[in-house]
Amino acid sequence: MKYLKIVILNLVFLSLIVFAVYTLTCYYSQPSFSKPYLINNQDSMLNITYIGDSWAFMHQRHNCMIPSIIEKETHQPANIYSYEVNGLTSKIIYRNIFTNDYLMHFLKSSKPKFCFISAGINDCNKKMGINNYKKSMDYIIQFFLYNHIRPIILEIPNYDIDKSYADQSPFQKIIRRISMLVTDTPMDCKQMFRDALDDLIKEKGYQDKVSIVRYNSWNNDYSNDIKQLYLDDGLHLNEQGYAKLDSAIAKEIISLIAHEQ
């Protein structure tokens, strides 16, 4: 009986090791490329879509100012639609493009000209590593460019990354520490991810095809911004913060429209 218990315990321990290795392999694996759909943009309405993580999710609760700013400056009617899920990494955001039926229906029926993409904050927060981030962002960009939709990417914004870590459960903290070791990523890795996006744009020759809303174009005084533009968690924007971000997004779109004329 004692021998049987030892065998069972060893099997359970081995199973846990196999499960952990499998889980971590899936966790850090890079996405596989899916063939984009072809969507032709011929609508007179300026349709814009907003996809991504919790920053995109919480944006839908905000009284979005982007269409009104664009209409005031260009006299062109505009609509914006958000499709997002809290906590998504860039890898899952890319996968969601193909699995979210509502998003795909919108892309096919409304033919947006621009897509604002909030992705990478959770990669940064979960220490996923810049190679995974770059690969995922490359696939997201390829999808939209193939479908004649200009990507407008939110550069990793300032946020209280230390507080975000402190608010996590003990298990989440252990995973973060493991991730930091596996991906060679420091606790505050925001600038590392910003540089990785710039490297991707240069390496792939996307300079004239992709726009980036720089964090310091709207979030340049972090010591005051954290008090005025963020919720108490130090991670997400409040109403005033979204109004400021909306203004920066609208400014970029207006500039692109003017450049076309």
Side-chain angles (χ1 to χ4, degrees), residues 23 35 38-39 68 95 101 143 174-175 200 209 212 215:
T23 301
K35 185 177 180 180
L38 183 60
I39 305 163
S68 61
R95 185 186 302 167
D101 293 336
F143 172 84
I174 292 172
I175 294 297
L200 170 65
K209 303 173 183 178
I212 300 175
Y215 80 95

Side-chain angles (χ1 to χ4, degrees), residues 65-80:
M65 299 170 57
I66 297 172
S68 61
I69 296 174
I70 292 173
E71 290 178 27
K72 182 178 179 180
E73 294 294 325
T74 67
H75 306 290
Q76 183 175 5
N79 283 319
I80 186 165

